[in-house]
Amino acid sequence: MTNAPTILVVEDDRNLNRVLSMALKADGYHTIDAGTGQRAIEEVRTRNPELVLLDLGLPDGDGLALVPTIRANSSAPIIVVSGRQADTEKVKALDAGADDYMTKPFSVPELRARVRATLRNHARVVDGPATIVVFGPYTFNFEARCLLRGTDRVHLSPTEFRLLATLARHLDRVVAAEVLLKETWGSAYQRKDDYVRVYMHSLRRKLESDPAHPKYLLTESGLGYRLDIAAA
Ligand code: CA
């Protein structure tokens, strides 16, 4: 399958790297291995992978520091793979531009499901409808995959973009967490309510002047979330 997506596996644990690569190859993907951050950046620049699996504990530094460099060189979604469990670590990775976060240990079926969902969502957004939604000082453009504040571009990670796109598609209506999960991450994620909380938190930090009292990204207690475009 020459058209199969290429996945860059950045992991210095050789056994784990082999297990991941074998599982991905079994699903028909091409894989590239990198055991260091430096090698990972070289591979991103020269081989243009469609998705990056990124371990955070690398011998030449914290994988998190690579995220902006990968983002600057590639639009490939990034799934961070880490032993760090804390929400603050997840928020840091997502703020830096990662799309998804898996904590070790994880199962191979989970990995495969997340890779599938991430690639599918990425393709869906790229092919999305040409729609513009304006709220407050913001202009959200589905097709250009961009959010402007006035004329300044607001940097969103691909997952933040998709979450905002899901809310914008259900404009001014309450969207239940399960629906957000399904439409933003895919049906494999329906019980991961913490994902919505973590990403909503990072979106509010970027968009709201007072993230604790949001004007646009509202929580409707017990019901879900709503993008309020009528807010001044
Ligand atoms: Ca490691």
Side-chain angles (χ1 to χ4, degrees):
M1 280 207 290
T2 48
N3 286 329
T6 298
I7 300 176
L8 173 60
V9 181
V10 187
E11 170 61 70
D12 62 312
D13 178 332
R14 295 181 80 98
N15 281 330
L16 183 54
N17 198 319
R18 198 156 43 230
V19 169
L20 297 176
S21 297
M22 276 171 55
L24 295 170
K25 280 184 182 138
D27 280 351
Y29 303 111
H30 298 293
T31 61
I32 309 168
D33 301 342
T36 64
Q38 194 187 352
R39 179 72 187 277
I41 296 299
E42 282 165 22
E43 299 289 10
V44 165
R45 288 195 174 128
T46 55
R47 316 247 322 251
N48 200 22
E50 270 97 356
L51 184 141
V52 180
L53 283 184
L54 178 64
D55 176 33
L56 293 188
L58 294 169
D60 56 343
D62 188 336
L64 208 52
L66 300 178
V67 172
T69 313
I70 295 172
R71 267 289 143 269
N73 285 276
S74 165
S75 64
I78 301 168
I79 303 179
V80 163
V81 178
S82 169
R84 302 173 197 169
Q85 303 261 0
D87 268 6
T88 51
E89 291 296 328
K90 295 182 190 175
V91 169
K92 262 195 249 171
L94 307 176
D95 272 355
D99 284 85
D100 196 1
Y101 193 106
M102 293 179 65
T103 40
K104 293 176 187 172
F106 53 84
S107 68
V108 165
E110 181 183 2
L111 167 82
R112 294 160 73 182
R114 293 218 195 183
V115 164
R116 271 199 308 275
T118 303
L119 287 170
R120 193 171 55 229
N121 287 336
H122 196 64
R124 192 162 64 212
V125 171
V126 169
D127 299 337
T131 310
I132 288 176
V133 172
V134 177
F135 57 100
Y138 296 103
T139 306
F140 182 66
N141 186 324
F142 287 84
E143 188 174 59
R145 290 176 64 84
C146 85
L147 176 70
L148 299 177
R149 184 195 331 250
T151 54
D152 298 329
R153 194 181 179 113
V154 180
H155 175 80
L156 296 180
S157 76
T159 298
E160 289 167 348
F161 176 89
R162 283 200 305 276
L163 179 57
L164 188 56
T166 303
L167 287 166
R169 274 196 296 274
H170 296 268
L171 209 51
D172 269 338
R173 276 175 293 153
V174 178
V175 190
E178 310 88 78
V179 175
L180 280 176
L181 280 163
K182 190 161 171 239
E183 296 191 9
T184 306
W185 283 271
S187 50
Y189 289 77
Q190 281 184 51
R191 288 196 196 86
K192 306 259 180 191
D193 283 13
D194 56 325
Y195 268 59
V196 176
R197 277 199 305 278
V198 166
Y199 280 89
M200 199 60 78
H201 177 72
S202 73
L203 264 184
R204 281 179 179 145
R205 282 181 18 175
K206 291 185 180 180
L207 271 61
E208 301 280 359
S209 49
D210 180 1
H213 301 95
K215 280 163 69 175
Y216 310 111
L217 297 162
L218 307 182
T219 300
E220 303 287 351
S221 190
L223 296 173
Y225 300 87
R226 182 163 67 90
L227 175 62
D228 186 351
I229 60 162

